[in-house]
Amino acid sequence: MFRALILFPEDEPKASLQPPVSVTQLEPKRKFEPVDLAINQGAVFTTAVGVSSKRTLASWHVNTPAQIVDHMLGLVSLHGTETEGAKL
């Protein structure tokens, strides 16, 4: 998963996801089209949870799932502040 997100094209306005090999092997005669993702590069925060010695391609690391929640709440709080400032 992290490898796929790292390959997300930074200069493209949108990204496409190719069909997984496991799906194409199940139905080799069927044509599967790539799917356009409704996400941009700035919205991707790859984060690994667990011991810091774990090898991963994630950009961020936290020790517990609670830390993910705390950081997400912080992002929501920052976004709310920016939105309120824009209304003034």
Side-chain angles (χ1 to χ4, degrees):
M1 175 181 65
F2 294 140
R3 181 175 287 116
L5 291 171
I6 288 171
L7 298 176
F8 192 106
E10 292 184 32
D11 57 343
E12 294 289 327
K14 60 182 176 180
S16 295
L17 181 66
Q18 298 297 324
V21 173
S22 58
V23 171
T24 58
Q25 287 180 343
L26 285 175
E27 298 184 50
K29 294 180 182 179
R30 184 172 166 196
K31 174 101 169 113
F32 292 93
E33 297 295 327
V35 175
D36 288 337
L37 304 176
I39 191 168
N40 63 44
Q41 181 68 16
V44 176
F45 297 92
T46 56
T47 307
V49 178
V51 296
S52 60
S53 60
K54 180 169 71 171
R55 293 189 64 194
T56 178
L57 293 174
S59 300
W60 297 87
H61 176 264
V62 295
N63 295 316
T64 66
Q67 288 177 308
I68 291 281
V69 174
D70 290 342
H71 291 297
M72 294 300 291
L73 290 172
L75 288 171
V76 170
S77 176
L78 284 174
H79 179 70
T81 303
E82 291 172 7
T83 305
E84 289 172 16
K87 291 178 184 176
L88 296 176

